[in-house]
Amino acid sequence: MINLILAGTVFVLLHVLVSGSQLRDTLVARLGEKSFQGLFSLASLLSLIWVILAYRGAPVIVLWSPPGMLRWLALVLMLFAFLFVVIGLATPSPTAAGGEGRLDEPEPAQGILRVTRHPFLWGVALWAAAHLLVNGDAASMVLFLTFLVLAHIGPRSIDAKRARRFGAKWERFAAVTSNAPFAAILSGRNQLRLDEIKLWRFVLALVLFGAVLGHHHLIFGASPFPWR
């Protein structure tokens, strides 16, 4: 368990203290953007592998037994998690690496970005929350809390990084978007346009959701269905 806690802590701190801080600006100035991204991607991959291996090697310590009804709630959360993750990854965004050019567009916030400017991280948060509901062992708590914490801190870190780098361009984008889903729409700063998201993105998300559900027991050794 100590190895897993340490791995999760390093994984989170790597993104918070390096990727999302002024230390990143210093490193980019010395190494260059591409070199920094390459080294950071490698460090992220290695730390993620560490987390996965530590989780697989952690002892099974049962803390509580989740009631069966939570499995239904987890399924609903996972559906929305797939929608946010898949549609978010398939949508060009100024918050993604290499997507900064979208800030120069006349209307930089389109599609899922009208709902939240961080759809991928919200998907990760829902995925982590869903698995926390249905896993009552200590190792799972550490694993999924690690990703939940990162998904919570990540948007603020990205926003601060983009604001420092792009100034007024970023502020124009941030003014019509929100981190919290639908907040910009509810406040009247934006409006929902489902046609911009495109049907194929919804279909892709649903297909992948169904594929993962159908093969979950083969990949992860446990069925996600409440009736099994």
Side-chain angles (χ1 to χ4, degrees), residues 77 80-82 84-85 115-129 148 151-152 155 178-181:
L77 292 178
F80 284 98
F82 267 82
F84 275 120
V85 167
V115 177
T116 170
R117 58 178 172 266
H118 298 288
F120 173 77
L121 287 175
W122 273 99
V124 172
L126 292 174
W127 166 80
L148 188 60
H152 174 71
S178 62
N179 173 31

Side-chain angles (χ1 to χ4, degrees), residues 14-32:
L14 179 66
H15 288 79
V16 175
L17 298 182
V18 178
S19 177
S21 70
Q22 293 187 357
L23 175 60
R24 181 191 189 280
D25 302 338
T26 302
L27 292 174
V28 168
R30 294 183 178 181
L31 301 174

Side-chain angles (χ1 to χ4, degrees), residues 1 57-63 137-139:
M1 285 301 299
V60 178
I61 304 174
V62 178
L63 301 178
D137 63 287

Side-chain angles (χ1 to χ4, degrees), residues 43 83 100 107 113 166 195:
L83 289 172
E100 298 85 353
E107 195 170 7
L113 300 181
F166 298 106
D195 60 303

Side-chain angles (χ1 to χ4, degrees), residues 81-158:
F82 267 82
L83 289 172
F84 275 120
V85 167
V86 175
I87 295 175
L89 289 176
T91 301
S93 171
T95 64
E100 298 85 353
R102 296 287 304 176
L103 292 173
D104 296 319
E105 296 289 332
E107 195 170 7
Q110 297 187 31
I112 194 67
L113 300 181
R114 296 182 184 275
V115 177
T116 170
R117 58 178 172 266
H118 298 288
F120 173 77
L121 287 175
W122 273 99
V124 172
L126 292 174
W127 166 80
H131 285 77
L132 282 170
L133 289 177
V134 296
N135 290 278
D137 63 287
S140 293
M141 290 290 177
V142 174
L143 176 69
F144 296 115
L145 276 175
T146 295
F147 288 98
L148 188 60
V149 169
L150 185 59
H152 174 71
I153 298 175
R156 300 179 184 182
S157 175
I158 293 172

